[in-house]
Amino acid sequence: MFTLRLLTCALALAGASAAVADWQALPAKAPEPAANPSTPAKVELGKMLYLDPRLSSTGTVSCNSCHNVMLGGEDNRGGSVGVHGQVGGRSAPTVWNSAFNSVQFWDGRAPSLEAQAKGPVTNPIEMGMKSWDDVVARLKAIPGYPEAFAAAFGGGDAVTADNAAKAIAAYERTLITPNSAYDKYVSGDQTALTEQQVRGMNTFAETGCSNCHSGPAFNGPTLPEGTPFFMKFPTFENGMFEAKYGFSQDKGRAEVTKKAEDEHLFKVPTLRNVALTAPYFHNGKVKTLDEAVRVMAKLQLNKDLSEQQIADVVAFLNALTGEFPKQQMPQLPGLPNKTFDYN
Amino acid sequence: MFTLRLLTCALALAGASAAVADWQALPAKAPEPAANPSTPAKVELGKMLYLDPRLSSTGTVSCNSCHNVMLGGEDNRGGSVGVHGQVGGRSAPTVWNSAFNSVQFWDGRAPSLEAQAKGPVTNPIEMGMKSWDDVVARLKAIPGYPEAFAAAFGGGDAVTADNAAKAIAAYERTLITPNSAYDKYVSGDQTALTEQQVRGMNTFAETGCSNCHSGPAFNGPTLPEGTPFFMKFPTFENGMFEAKYGFSQDKGRAEVTKKAEDEHLFKVPTLRNVALTAPYFHNGKVKTLDEAVRVMAKLQLNKDLSEQQIADVVAFLNALTGEFPKQQMPQLPGLPNKTFDYN
């Protein structure tokens, strides 16, 4: 059951299901919303907030705990671990190149990075803060943060939830991994991919993977700003995989909208750096990339790939691992002479 | 009950209990053991290992989780949080300037940073790995780590627990915070401290704080290498503070040695950056620095400081916050196409 929007996309994309796909290199810069232009001060503040565990009730969980920028942008776990050792039900998506997603969260419940950034902080099993008011109170109490907010957003009462989310989003827009072997190849360097990777690239297109994993980030076509791109997963029923991985237990977008037509719709995740983001799928139940390719071909395209084809596609997907920009570690401002009431 | 060693120290230090203490600036470089000279390759590897959560059973806890170098070198919690949300019984000491400690851990059970580094990884309530063999197996499985170990320690079978500990210790020896206001003052800049801070400095010495919090790191006198420096805490009994904070529930060094003479002996912690490391004491029960000063004067020196004296000493202690060196964030090597079996 596709929504009208998806049906439209599927039709529009049908012509691209042949071997030739619209291969695009990753842009060096992510689009910025008019309401939140990036500035160095905003990015620097956002990096501090992103890495600061004091944004959690226990003082132990930061954005980076589950979306680790020192790794592939997540935690390589099935379910992520929030405050008090609680384990979430979905696998953390990578923060790298998330600026190119049409929507955020697996169920697309946030239309922007700004909206996404506000979610986990007050989620009781993630960062566990009672409210953003409590977060703002903490930030105001730490000398250095009000000054950093003022530098990023101007004077006055700059320490707000909205501004915190804007700063985090601005930082996330810098998390781009260009110059993968794939990018070099599609930019003209014929030697950048191995023979097997080129074979895998063709298999990827011929099989139909690139119908949805399209665009520069392999997460969907370029649509007008604000247009979400969802696909149904699984599209084809398969008892064996369902028994093994229980994909259908999560109703995806319908968990948010409560609409039958949204059942099992999920955002199409980027494949950039996918080699580094095992385990796979919304529930993180598939531990290896070769099995993920096998499952996707069967459940989304009703195709059985050979072991050779799977190995080729995996080789191609490994060519999507980009260059991670060097980052300076922020020294977070301290709260002098006391601590917060952590639970 | 002092051990002979402590008695000797106490006598040797008695002459320093007047207003004039042996004020020393923090060295720019920490001493290195002959068996583990620092090299850039070793430090870089150590930084990677220090920040890598894959050294824990769950893949969520790194050395940095509890000894956060982006903060004051610890987590500002009473008890730290290890795997599965388990909370430890002692407050994490700061990693900053830990290279200047005569012994490591509150109970001094590790004589060196190298020995300390091995402990938390296999502690079931900290990082929860079953064995260092399991850690080594993981590191060997991650392309990039064997190469980094070879670069740091030479070829052959370089990925070992001993080498991992050596690399982490080498990194920790770079974590020094020089150029505090205090350092500038004792180096000749008379304007570096406020009047109140100078008053507090004198009170600190006159009260006797500097008898034990001596030396450049305020954690004890410079003793021959390998000589541990412990003090009994509390030295003087006080029912009110004991009822409030339960300090004596932890027998300190005796928990390790099981010797009556070691009961309630603790390593003397550094006061460098102490303004940033609340809550205080081995059990992290004291939330503010002014109360920590009040408690210390009473329990260790049997003195009641006035509110003014406490405020002055706190002002002085704030002058011990140093400059944190800028660090580049490591990009940790990824395990391609799969993940570890995290619990």
Side-chain angles (χ1 to χ4, degrees):
Chain A
M1 297 301 291
F2 293 84
T3 63
L4 181 59
R5 178 177 299 122
L6 285 165
L7 190 58
T8 313
C9 289
L11 289 172
L13 287 163
S17 65
V20 178
D22 180 24
W23 305 115
Q24 298 175 49
L26 194 66
K29 208 169 172 325
E32 296 166 12
N36 189 25
S38 291
T39 63
K42 215 182 272 184
V43 169
E44 190 55 33
L45 170 61
K47 182 161 71 171
M48 288 160 63
L49 295 169
Y50 190 89
L51 284 148
D52 198 330
R54 294 169 299 182
L55 270 65
S56 66
S57 61
T58 53
T60 60
V61 181
S62 68
C63 305
N64 193 66
S65 298
C66 304
H67 305 278
N68 194 334
V69 295
M70 289 177 253
L71 289 167
E74 41 90 88
D75 55 7
N76 293 128
R77 288 182 52 91
S80 292
V81 178
V83 294
H84 303 299
Q86 298 172 99
V87 179
R90 287 185 184 145
S91 189
T94 180
V95 70
W96 288 106
N97 309 301
S98 60
F100 298 106
N101 293 338
S102 67
V103 283
Q104 305 295 341
F105 292 117
W106 278 102
D107 54 26
R109 67 186 184 275
S112 66
L113 290 173
E114 284 79 0
Q116 191 282 331
K118 285 191 189 169
V121 176
T122 53
N123 184 318
I125 66 166
E126 298 186 25
M127 295 167 78
M129 291 298 287
K130 277 200 188 128
S131 70
W132 265 96
D133 283 351
D134 289 354
V135 180
V136 166
R138 279 195 188 168
L139 294 173
K140 284 184 175 175
I142 300 171
Y145 265 128
E147 295 78 357
F149 273 85
F153 296 99
D157 195 16
V159 187
T160 65
D162 281 347
N163 284 346
K166 281 182 176 178
I168 291 171
Y171 168 59
E172 291 172 335
R173 290 195 177 95
T174 69
L175 300 177
I176 301 174
T177 60
N179 302 325
S180 68
Y182 161 84
D183 292 305
K184 290 174 187 165
Y185 184 82
V186 298
S187 299
D189 179 359
Q190 296 286 315
T191 67
L193 296 187
T194 65
E195 267 186 44
Q196 184 181 28
Q197 288 174 325
V198 173
R199 252 193 344 258
M201 186 172 171
N202 288 328
T203 303
F204 184 85
E206 285 160 5
T207 307
C209 310
S210 57
N211 289 3
C212 299
H213 289 290
S214 57
F218 292 81
N219 61 352
T222 304
L223 300 169
E225 195 186 318
T227 312
F229 183 59
F230 295 105
M231 288 303 288
K232 187 180 177 192
F233 177 82
T235 293
F236 295 95
E237 287 183 19
N238 181 292
M240 183 191 73
F241 285 139
E242 187 59 31
K244 204 166 176 184
Y245 302 123
F247 293 129
S248 295
Q249 292 166 25
D250 186 330
K251 293 193 174 169
R253 183 140 182 77
E255 307 271 358
V256 183
T257 65
K258 311 295 178 195
K259 291 180 186 170
E261 72 224 46
D262 287 340
E263 283 188 6
H264 308 298
L265 293 190
F266 291 92
K267 154 187 99 169
V268 175
T270 180
L271 296 184
R272 292 277 174 183
N273 310 303
V274 68
L276 303 180
T277 62
Y280 300 103
F281 296 99
H282 60 273
N283 62 2
K285 292 286 189 195
V286 175
K287 291 192 175 175
T288 64
L289 189 51
D290 59 342
E291 177 73 348
V293 170
R294 186 178 294 114
V295 165
M296 280 299 283
K298 191 66 186 170
L299 295 189
Q300 298 307 94
L301 300 158
N302 201 25
K303 290 185 182 165
D304 293 289
L305 296 184
S306 70
E307 290 307 299
Q308 183 62 55
Q309 286 176 309
I310 291 170
D312 291 350
V313 171
V314 167
F316 169 62
L317 293 175
N318 273 260
L320 301 182
T321 300
E323 283 178 11
F324 294 87
K326 292 190 193 309
Q327 300 186 66
Q328 190 170 293
M329 202 184 286
Q331 199 66 36
L332 303 172
L335 176 68
N337 308 332
K338 60 184 175 180
T339 187
F340 293 117
D341 278 323
Y342 294 128
N343 65 14
Chain B
M1 298 294 293
F2 292 85
T3 62
L4 180 59
R5 179 179 300 125
L6 285 166
L7 189 59
T8 313
C9 289
L11 290 171
L13 288 163
S17 64
V20 179
D22 180 23
W23 304 115
Q24 298 175 51
L26 194 66
K29 207 169 172 327
E32 295 166 12
N36 190 24
S38 291
T39 63
K42 216 184 269 185
V43 169
E44 190 55 34
L45 170 62
K47 182 161 70 171
M48 288 160 61
L49 295 169
Y50 189 89
L51 285 147
D52 198 331
R54 295 170 296 182
L55 269 65
S56 66
S57 61
T58 54
T60 60
V61 180
S62 69
C63 305
N64 194 64
S65 298
C66 304
H67 306 277
N68 193 334
V69 295
M70 288 177 254
L71 289 168
E74 42 90 88
D75 56 6
N76 293 130
R77 288 183 52 92
S80 293
V81 178
V83 294
H84 304 298
Q86 299 173 98
V87 179
R90 288 183 182 146
S91 189
T94 180
V95 70
W96 289 105
N97 308 302
S98 60
F100 298 106
N101 292 338
S102 67
V103 284
Q104 306 296 341
F105 293 116
W106 280 102
D107 55 27
R109 67 185 183 275
S112 66
L113 290 173
E114 284 80 359
Q116 191 282 332
K118 285 191 190 171
V121 176
T122 52
N123 184 317
I125 67 166
E126 297 186 25
M127 296 167 78
M129 292 297 289
K130 278 201 188 127
S131 70
W132 265 96
D133 284 348
D134 289 354
V135 180
V136 166
R138 279 195 187 168
L139 294 172
K140 285 184 176 174
I142 300 171
Y145 265 128
E147 294 78 356
F149 273 86
F153 295 100
D157 195 16
V159 187
T160 66
D162 281 348
N163 284 347
K166 281 183 176 178
I168 291 170
Y171 168 59
E172 290 173 334
R173 289 194 177 95
T174 69
L175 300 176
I176 301 175
T177 62
N179 302 326
S180 68
Y182 161 84
D183 291 304
K184 291 172 187 165
Y185 184 83
V186 298
S187 300
D189 179 359
Q190 296 286 314
T191 68
L193 296 187
T194 65
E195 267 185 45
Q196 184 181 28
Q197 287 174 325
V198 174
R199 259 198 335 265
M201 187 172 169
N202 288 327
T203 303
F204 184 86
E206 286 159 6
T207 308
C209 310
S210 57
N211 289 3
C212 298
H213 289 291
S214 56
F218 292 81
N219 61 352
T222 303
L223 300 169
E225 196 187 317
T227 312
F229 184 59
F230 294 105
M231 288 302 289
K232 187 181 179 190
F233 177 81
T235 293
F236 295 94
E237 286 182 19
N238 181 293
M240 183 191 74
F241 284 139
E242 185 59 32
K244 204 166 177 184
Y245 302 122
F247 293 130
S248 295
Q249 291 165 25
D250 186 330
K251 293 193 173 168
R253 182 141 182 78
E255 306 272 357
V256 183
T257 64
K258 311 296 178 195
K259 293 180 184 169
E261 72 222 47
D262 287 339
E263 282 187 9
H264 307 298
L265 294 190
F266 291 93
K267 152 187 100 167
V268 175
T270 179
L271 297 184
R272 291 279 174 181
N273 309 302
V274 69
L276 304 180
T277 62
Y280 300 103
F281 297 100
H282 60 273
N283 62 3
K285 292 286 189 194
V286 175
K287 291 192 175 176
T288 64
L289 189 52
D290 60 343
E291 178 73 349
V293 170
R294 187 178 293 111
V295 164
M296 280 300 283
K298 192 66 186 168
L299 296 188
Q300 299 307 93
L301 300 157
N302 202 24
K303 290 183 181 167
D304 293 289
L305 296 185
S306 70
E307 289 307 299
Q308 183 63 54
Q309 286 176 308
I310 290 170
D312 292 349
V313 171
V314 167
F316 168 62
L317 294 176
N318 273 260
L320 301 183
T321 300
E323 284 178 10
F324 294 86
K326 291 190 195 308
Q327 299 186 65
Q328 190 170 295
M329 202 183 286
Q331 200 65 36
L332 304 173
L335 176 68
N337 308 332
K338 58 183 176 178
T339 187
F340 293 116
D341 278 322
Y342 295 127
N343 63 15

